[in-house]
Amino acid sequence: MYKKYIKRIFDIVISGTGLLVLAPVFLIVAIIVRVKLGKPVIYKQNRPGYQEHIFEIYKFRSMSNETDDTGKLLPDEVRLGKTGRLLRATSLDELPQLLNIFKGDMSIIGPRPLLVSYLDLYTPEQHRRHSVRPGLFSLASVNGRNNQSWEKKFTYDIYYVDHVSFLLDLKIFFKCIGIVLKRENVNLEGEATTVAFTGKENGKNS
């Protein structure tokens, strides 16, 4: 009952309320992003969602378009800069996903939506992470956030799929809020962004 009906009702109520209450924050962040990082302010990218249906995810831009003398984009750590790092550390860059949740592309809690290019690299077991809507917060988020291996993240994702419940969602939600406030484990140690999944942990070559 919860997984099929109630969870979606909660998603609509929470995301709708969040969009209204946080409207001033959206405006302030949008202005900062436009001034510091340029446009477009909202970054859009295709991601696989429920049953691997492709949807367009929304985020506040966190990297500039700075290039070198040849026109090639500078490394991520350079383009990220202080503003981008702050947005990611506080998870403010993820706020526009409240609209994804309200639309039904995502849920408040669920496995994080990853890149479309990863789909061909998953094992059959890992594909099961798409049997629920992807989430703004995930079980992996409260167990190391980005500072853990892909194999571990997927283990948490599958556990969540098999144990979805109101109590588990509530536990993940409040733990994630605490982690965001403490700005813990935003990226892997020594990396500006999350290391790409290559499938090598599955014995596959990318």
Side-chain angles (χ1 to χ4, degrees), residues 36-153:
K36 295 289 188 178
L37 300 173
K39 58 181 181 180
V41 170
I42 299 295
Y43 172 76
K44 301 176 182 179
Q45 188 178 53
N46 287 337
R47 298 289 175 93
Y50 178 62
Q51 300 296 355
E52 300 184 1
H53 172 74
I54 306 302
F55 72 97
E56 199 169 53
I57 196 173
Y58 308 130
K59 291 187 178 186
F60 277 120
R61 181 190 196 90
S62 59
M63 286 189 182
S64 69
N65 284 325
E66 294 179 87
T67 59
D68 59 22
D69 294 336
T70 66
K72 183 180 179 181
L73 287 172
L74 293 174
D76 288 351
E77 60 268 19
V78 176
R79 294 191 295 123
L80 190 58
K82 291 183 179 180
T83 300
R85 289 180 187 279
L86 178 62
L87 289 174
R88 293 191 180 187
T90 56
S91 294
L92 287 172
D93 63 319
E94 309 282 0
L95 278 182
Q97 286 163 48
L98 287 174
L99 181 56
N100 284 122
I101 296 168
F102 191 76
K103 289 169 56 183
D105 300 325
M106 294 175 59
S107 178
I108 297 293
I109 309 295
R112 286 296 293 158
L114 303 177
L115 299 179
V116 175
S117 59
Y118 292 173
L119 288 175
D120 291 337
L121 303 176
Y122 294 149
T123 65
E125 181 72 359
Q126 289 166 353
H127 274 286
R128 293 180 56 224
R129 70 191 304 278
H130 295 288
S131 61
V132 297
R133 284 188 178 91
L136 177 62
F137 302 128
S138 72
L139 183 58
S141 301
V142 300
N143 288 282
R145 206 171 179 183
N146 284 334
N147 199 18
Q148 59 184 307
S149 70
W150 281 108
E151 184 177 9
K152 195 113 179 178
K153 288 181 185 179

